[in-house]
């Protein structure tokens, strides 16, 4: 099993949307990701920060998927935490775990606090369609996420990933994305084309849903009793 993987500058064009972001799978089949998954992540984080009992089991599917949970904050939607796993996890336990891991244990940021809740955006990404490719350029910007494996200067194997939306949002081409990912993975030597050719690259797609805290509150007020939320709704003065 791979260790938890911070996903870099994972971001989205956001609220109010409640719609899958770019890089989603084909629109033919029904999307698995849902707004309720983002609500559940907010529930988990809210209950943890306020000391409530964890939320009850959600009603959405519990099928196993590789997944990432991303937190952004403020009007400029700065990255606040993003960690996930490439090992398929049942969604109920996987989202519960990585909600808190990404909010509290992303080494790039301090643990999240209560006073940040009202400015948060939550994204859930479910990863699909993994393909190992022989050419490190064999992927499409804005469509595929990429995961690379390489050996650093000391001969240690390292891995790093960017979700499908990252390269497009940053305005990067293939080479810029690969080089940024190598640096993110800790490679410090000069990057040559010969070295790039030694990279093992896996491309994948994702289904993504994003929700702002205000949308979460509105959604929970509407569905509070039907969905069996196991904690009081946040007080008005908390998010107004």
């Amino acid at each position: 099993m791979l260790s938890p993987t911070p996903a870099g500058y994972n971001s989205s064009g956001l609220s109010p949307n409640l719609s899958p972001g770019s890089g989603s799978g084909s629109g033919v089949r029904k999307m698995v990701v849902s707004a309720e998954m983002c609500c559940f992540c907010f529930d988990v984080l809210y209950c943890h920060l306020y000391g409530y009992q964890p939320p009850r089991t959600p009603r959405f599917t519990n099928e196993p998927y590789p997944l990432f949970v991303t937190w952004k904050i403020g009007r400029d939607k700065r990255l606040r935490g993003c960690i996930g796993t490439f090992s398929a996890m049942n969604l109920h336990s996987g989202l519960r775990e990585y909600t808190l891991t990404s909010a509290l244990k992303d080494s790039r940021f301090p643990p999240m606090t209560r006073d940040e809740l009202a400015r948060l955006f939550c994204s859930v990404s479910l990863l699909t369609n993994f393909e190992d490719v022989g050419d490190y350029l064999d992927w499409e910007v804005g469509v595929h996420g990429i995961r690379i494996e390489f050996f650093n200067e000391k001969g240690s194997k390292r891995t790093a990933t960017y979700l499908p939306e990252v390269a497009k949002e940053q305005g990067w081409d293939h080479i810029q994305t690969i080089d940024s990912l190598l640096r993110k993975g800790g490679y410090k030597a000069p990057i040559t084309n010969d070295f790039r050719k030694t990279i093992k690259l896996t491309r994948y797609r994702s289904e993504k849903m994003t929700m702002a805290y205000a949308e979460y509150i509105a959604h929970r007020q509407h569905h509070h009793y039907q969905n069996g939320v196991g904690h009081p709704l946040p007080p008005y003065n908390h998010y107004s």
Side-chain angles (χ1 to χ4, degrees):
M1 177 174 177
L2 290 170
S3 59
T5 310
Y9 312 157
N10 173 17
S11 64
S12 58
L14 267 153
S15 178
N17 67 2
L18 297 186
S19 61
S22 63
S24 303
S26 67
V28 177
R29 66 183 181 81
K30 191 175 187 300
M31 299 287 285
V32 175
V33 74
S34 66
E36 194 61 31
M37 294 179 188
C38 295
C39 277
F40 180 66
C41 293
F42 269 120
D43 282 343
V44 170
L45 180 61
Y46 184 92
C47 289
H48 177 84
L49 292 177
Y50 278 87
Y52 289 118
Q53 288 294 312
R56 298 174 189 171
T57 300
R59 294 185 175 182
F60 54 76
T61 178
N62 195 30
E63 293 177 4
Y65 281 88
L67 59 92
F68 277 77
V69 177
T70 303
W71 298 101
K72 305 209 119 184
I73 191 164
R75 292 183 179 180
D76 56 350
K77 302 179 180 70
R78 288 172 287 109
L79 183 66
R80 187 61 182 83
C82 181
I83 296 181
T85 178
F86 284 96
S87 298
M89 293 188 69
N90 293 98
L91 288 176
H92 295 175
S93 59
L95 290 176
R96 195 184 295 270
E97 176 179 343
Y98 281 97
T99 288
L100 296 181
T101 301
S102 59
L104 306 173
K105 297 181 180 179
D106 189 324
S107 61
R108 297 168 291 184
F109 306 99
M112 214 170 275
T113 61
R114 293 182 190 178
D115 60 5
E116 295 177 282
L117 271 171
R119 296 181 291 135
L120 289 177
F121 299 83
C122 177
S123 296
V124 171
S125 297
L126 307 184
L127 310 187
T128 63
N129 301 92
F130 286 85
E131 300 174 287
D132 291 331
V133 295
D135 182 348
Y136 72 93
L137 297 176
D138 187 10
W139 55 279
E140 187 175 341
V141 172
V143 173
H144 296 110
I146 58 172
R147 173 180 170 271
I148 63 170
E149 289 186 10
F150 62 94
F151 289 92
N152 66 12
E153 311 91 307
K154 298 178 180 179
S156 300
K157 186 181 350 186
R158 302 296 299 269
T159 64
T161 191
Y162 279 143
L163 296 176
E165 58 272 19
V166 174
K168 184 177 180 180
E169 290 174 352
Q170 299 299 318
W172 292 336
D173 61 19
H174 288 75
I175 298 295
Q176 290 170 316
T177 306
I178 291 291
D179 288 0
S180 173
L181 202 46
L182 285 167
R183 296 302 188 210
K184 179 189 167 196
Y187 188 73
K188 296 180 172 59
I191 299 171
T192 64
N193 203 44
D194 284 341
F195 181 75
R196 293 186 191 104
K197 291 178 181 178
T198 68
I199 293 168
K200 178 184 176 184
L201 188 141
T202 302
R203 68 186 187 189
Y204 59 88
R205 301 193 182 211
S206 76
E207 295 183 8
K208 180 180 177 185
M209 186 69 70
T210 296
M211 177 178 281
Y213 184 79
E215 294 165 325
Y216 158 66
I217 294 301
H219 192 86
R220 274 293 175 250
Q221 286 175 328
H222 183 70
H223 296 283
H224 187 55
Y225 296 105
Q226 304 96 295
N227 287 347
V229 179
H231 64 86
L233 281 169
Y236 279 94
N237 63 5
H238 177 66
Y239 62 86
S240 59

